[in-house]
Amino acid sequence: MRNILIIDDEINICTLLSKFLGKHGFKVDTTMSGATALKMMKEKTFDLVLCDYRLKDTDGAQLLQDIRLINPRTIVIIITGYTDVRVAVDMVKNGAYDYLSKPLYPDEILNLVHKAFAHMDAERERESSMPMRSVSNGTERNNGSEETEDIGSEVLDKSHKYVYGESAGAKELLRQIKLVAPTDYSVIIFGETGTGKESVAHLIHHHSKRQSQPFVALDCGSLSKELAASELFGHEKGSFTGAINTKIGAFEQAHGGTLFLDEVSNLSYDIQIALLRVIQEKVIRRVGNLKEIPIDVRIIVASNEKLSESVQKGRFREDLFHRFNEFTIYIPPLRERVQDLPLFVNAFMRQVERELQKNCGKIDNDVWECFNKYNWPGNIRELKNVIRRACLLTPEHEDITLSTLPLEMKESFAQLSYEEDHQVNMTGELISITNENDLKTVALQAEYNKIINVLKEVKYNKTKAAQLLNIDRKTLYNKLRLLNINY
C-alpha cells in the first residue's frame, strides 16, 4: 500500500483528502506543521507528499528542500493558491513533481496522484533495467569464466550505475558518449527496443555542462496528437476542455538542461512542424497563450528505427531530421555483444539480491550456454527480467538452473541443441524430395523453406508462426508432420 503524507494548515483539507485518498486504497497521514512533517518523514517512509505552499511555520520551497534531503525519492506535489502559480512553477523546476491550484477537485487530485505513482514506477523500472556498473570483487558468478577486469580507463563516472562493457561495440559506444557529452550538440540515439537508449541519454546529460540542470524524459510513443502539444509546450488554464489548471510542458521543465524525446518518430506531422519552429526560434508558446517563452534546452531524441528511413517513407520531416542529426549514436543489440553478458548478469544479480533481500547461488553451466546462444530480442531489458525471474524462482543459495528460465528461452535452447545433436539440415533443403522438376516438389520445397524461416523468426513459437503464416495451429501441425519438420 502506498504511503501518502498531507501537509496543510487547514484541518478541513487534511480531513477531506485523507478520507478521499483512503477510500482509493492509499494509507494517508496528515499534519498541519512543516516541522512535524519532517519528523514524521524521518520515522516513516512516504511515497508521496501533498504539501500546501504556505504554512504557518515554513514555506513550500524550504520544505521541498528538506524533504529531498531526507528522501530524494519521495514525490512532492505542491498545493497552491492562484496567486502562487508562478512560484509553484519554479518549485517544479527545483524538484517538485507537479502542483495543484485551489480550489481542489477530487478527480483531478486522484488522477495526478495515480500519474505520479505511474511515473515513480516507470523510473524505478528504468533504474532496475539500467545495469549497475560491474566492479570486480574477486568473486565471479560465471562459474569458471575469467574474472572481470575493471576498465578504469574507460570509466566516465564512479557512481557504479552502469556496465560499460568490454566488447568492441561497447567500447565504441563509450568513446562516442565521451566525445559528444561535453558539447551542446543535438543527438539521435538509434537502437533496438531494450538496448538502453534512455540510459545513454542520462549518461550524456550527466557528463555535460548541463548536469546540474533538469533532465526531462518524454515518451512520444504514448502521446496522442491532442496531448502531444500540451505535454511538450504546456497549456493555460481553460485553453481546452479539461484544462482545469495551467500546465508547464516538458520544454519549460527542462529549461537549462536536457530534454530526451523517446520514440520521436511517432509524433504527428503538425507537432513536428511546431517542434521545428521551437528548435529554430528557441521559444515556445503554451497552448491557449500567444506569449513567447524563451527556452534553453539540449535535445536528445531516440528511435528504434532509423529516422532517415522514416524520412524516406514520408513519416518524418526531413528538415526536422537534419536539425536533430548533429550527432548519431548507435547502440548495438545484446546479441552483438555477447562478450558483455557476464558483466550484465553479475550486475543484475547483485541488484536483484538487494531487491529480494536474498543470496542467489551460481548460474548453472547449461544456463550460461543458453544465454550465449539465445538471440535476446528484448535485449538488456529482457535479460534483466530473466535474471529477476530466475532469482525469484530459485531457493536461496541454490544454483540457478534452466527450469527457472522463461518458456520461449527453453524452447529455443532445446531446438538449437536438437539441431546440433542430430545435425538437422537448416539450409532450406527438403532432403526427402529429390525430383527438382516436379511441380509438387517445387511447391513443397517452397512451403518447407517458408515454414522453416518463420519458425526461426518467432523462436519456434508455433502460435506466432501460425499467425504469421495466416493459418490455424492445426493446419501448421499437419504441415509439420507432412514435411517431417520436428519442432
Side-chain angles (χ1 to χ4, degrees):
M1 184 178 288
R2 312 275 196 178
N3 293 320
I4 296 178
L5 176 61
I6 297 170
I7 312 170
D8 200 298
D9 54 10
E10 295 184 37
I11 191 167
N12 290 337
I13 290 181
C14 289
T15 304
L16 289 172
L17 288 180
S18 178
K19 289 182 177 179
F20 176 70
L21 293 172
K23 286 180 181 179
H24 287 84
F26 299 106
K27 188 174 181 181
V28 183
D29 292 300
T30 64
T31 179
M32 300 171 64
S33 160
T36 306
L38 296 175
K39 183 179 178 182
M40 292 171 67
M41 292 196 66
K42 290 176 182 177
E43 297 172 351
K44 179 179 177 180
T45 300
F46 289 95
D47 301 300
L48 184 143
V49 172
L50 281 164
C51 173
D52 191 6
Y53 177 71
R54 297 188 183 276
L55 297 170
K56 292 179 180 178
D57 60 340
T58 185
D59 61 44
Q62 182 59 51
L63 195 56
L64 174 63
Q65 292 180 18
D66 294 337
I67 290 172
R68 290 178 67 81
L69 285 173
I70 295 172
N71 188 353
R73 287 184 174 273
T74 298
I75 298 171
V76 180
I77 296 175
I78 303 298
I79 301 173
T80 177
Y82 181 74
T83 55
D84 297 324
V85 168
R86 192 172 295 277
V87 177
V89 170
D90 290 336
M91 291 185 66
V92 170
K93 291 181 180 179
N94 290 325
Y97 175 74
D98 209 332
Y99 66 91
L100 289 163
S101 296
K102 295 179 181 179
L104 301 176
Y105 298 92
D107 289 343
E108 181 189 0
I109 295 168
L110 187 62
N111 288 337
L112 185 56
V113 168
H114 282 309
K115 182 180 176 182
F117 281 131
H119 173 79
M120 181 177 74
D121 292 341
E123 279 292 301
R124 287 178 177 174
E125 177 63 25
R126 180 190 63 76
E127 289 177 6
S128 66
S129 65
M130 184 188 300
M132 299 284 290
R133 163 123 173 90
S134 182
V135 181
S136 295
N137 57 9
T139 47
E140 286 294 322
R141 299 185 184 275
N142 51 4
N143 208 23
S145 63
E146 293 182 2
E147 185 176 311
T148 305
E149 295 181 359
D150 185 4
I151 49 172
S153 61
E154 298 294 333
V155 175
L156 281 174
D157 67 83
K158 297 181 180 180
S159 61
H160 295 181
K161 291 177 66 176
Y162 303 92
V163 172
Y164 296 117
E166 295 184 339
S167 64
K171 288 181 177 179
E172 175 58 22
L173 172 63
L174 180 62
R175 187 184 74 84
Q176 292 186 13
I177 291 173
K178 290 172 67 176
L179 285 173
V180 77
T183 73
D184 222 18
Y185 288 7
S186 296
V187 180
I188 296 175
I189 302 174
F190 165 63
E192 295 179 7
T193 298
T195 49
K197 295 185 285 292
E198 187 170 343
S199 296
V200 170
H202 266 280
L203 201 53
I204 292 172
H205 172 73
H206 183 66
H207 298 284
S208 71
K209 300 171 185 176
R210 300 172 179 262
Q211 60 179 320
S212 60
Q213 300 301 318
F215 176 92
V216 177
L218 189 64
D219 182 6
C220 301
S222 64
L223 297 180
S224 65
K225 180 180 178 181
E226 292 74 20
L227 281 177
S230 173
E231 291 293 330
L232 284 166
F233 313 124
H235 65 251
E236 296 294 339
K237 182 178 180 179
S239 57
F240 55 85
T241 304
I244 301 172
N245 285 312
T246 298
K247 174 184 175 63
I248 61 171
F251 272 95
E252 280 187 87
Q253 293 177 39
H255 181 68
T258 303
L259 176 61
F260 173 63
L261 302 177
D262 197 8
E263 301 305 336
V264 69
S265 59
N266 290 328
L267 290 175
S268 68
Y269 199 77
D270 292 342
I271 297 299
Q272 290 180 36
I273 294 174
L275 201 54
L276 179 65
R277 180 185 177 278
V278 169
I279 296 171
Q280 289 174 338
E281 305 296 331
K282 298 190 183 302
V283 294
I284 62 142
R285 290 178 184 167
R286 293 179 187 167
V287 177
N289 196 332
L290 296 178
K291 180 183 177 182
E292 292 186 338
I293 302 173
I295 50 103
D296 173 25
V297 172
R298 181 185 193 174
I299 299 178
I300 301 176
V301 302
S303 176
N304 57 15
E305 63 177 332
K306 292 182 178 178
L307 285 182
S308 57
E309 293 180 359
S310 298
V311 170
Q312 292 174 356
K313 294 175 184 176
R315 292 172 44 209
F316 199 79
R317 288 182 62 95
E318 185 174 4
D319 46 5
L320 183 58
F321 166 71
H322 290 302
R323 286 284 180 178
F324 287 148
N325 195 29
E326 292 181 322
F327 195 86
T328 301
I329 290 179
Y330 168 68
I331 306 178
L334 188 56
R335 62 181 173 274
E336 293 180 8
R337 45 189 302 197
V338 180
Q339 180 184 345
D340 297 329
L341 263 174
L343 293 172
F344 286 115
V345 170
N346 292 334
F348 284 145
M349 285 188 69
R350 284 197 297 275
Q351 262 188 15
V352 176
E353 284 178 339
R354 288 192 293 272
E355 288 176 13
L356 301 180
Q357 295 184 347
K358 64 183 284 189
N359 293 317
C360 302
K362 294 181 178 179
I363 294 180
D364 192 77
N365 284 331
D366 287 341
V367 176
W368 277 113
E369 185 180 357
C370 177
F371 282 177
N372 287 318
K373 290 181 178 179
Y374 188 57
N375 200 39
W376 297 109
N379 292 290
I380 296 173
R381 185 181 297 128
E382 182 181 12
L383 174 62
K384 170 65 177 176
N385 292 336
V386 168
I387 296 298
R388 295 181 75 183
R389 170 195 169 94
C391 288
L392 181 63
L393 292 175
T394 303
E396 193 164 14
H397 300 300
E398 291 189 15
D399 289 354
I400 294 174
T401 62
L402 279 174
S403 63
T404 62
L405 300 185
L407 180 62
E408 61 271 17
M409 286 190 71
K410 290 186 285 190
E411 287 181 345
S412 176
F413 182 59
Q415 180 56 40
L416 290 170
S417 300
Y418 177 87
E419 291 171 11
E420 292 175 357
D421 293 343
H422 296 82
Q423 295 183 340
V424 176
N425 185 346
M426 294 300 292
T427 61
E429 296 178 3
L430 192 54
I431 299 173
S432 59
I433 300 175
T434 56
N435 186 354
E436 297 179 357
N437 296 319
D438 183 72
L439 190 59
K440 288 184 179 180
T441 299
V442 174
L444 285 172
Q445 178 70 63
E447 205 168 89
Y448 177 91
N449 291 345
K450 185 62 178 176
I451 291 173
I452 288 290
N453 291 335
V454 170
L455 283 169
K456 286 181 180 179
E457 182 181 339
V458 298
K459 309 294 184 299
Y460 308 101
N461 183 313
K462 297 182 181 66
T463 300
K464 290 183 180 179
Q467 290 172 350
L468 285 178
L469 292 167
N470 199 25
I471 57 177
D472 56 42
R473 277 175 60 91
K474 184 177 179 181
T475 303
L476 176 60
Y477 277 107
N478 290 337
K479 289 186 178 295
L480 293 178
R481 282 194 293 271
L482 173 66
L483 298 171
N484 196 28
I485 301 175
N486 298 314
Y487 292 130

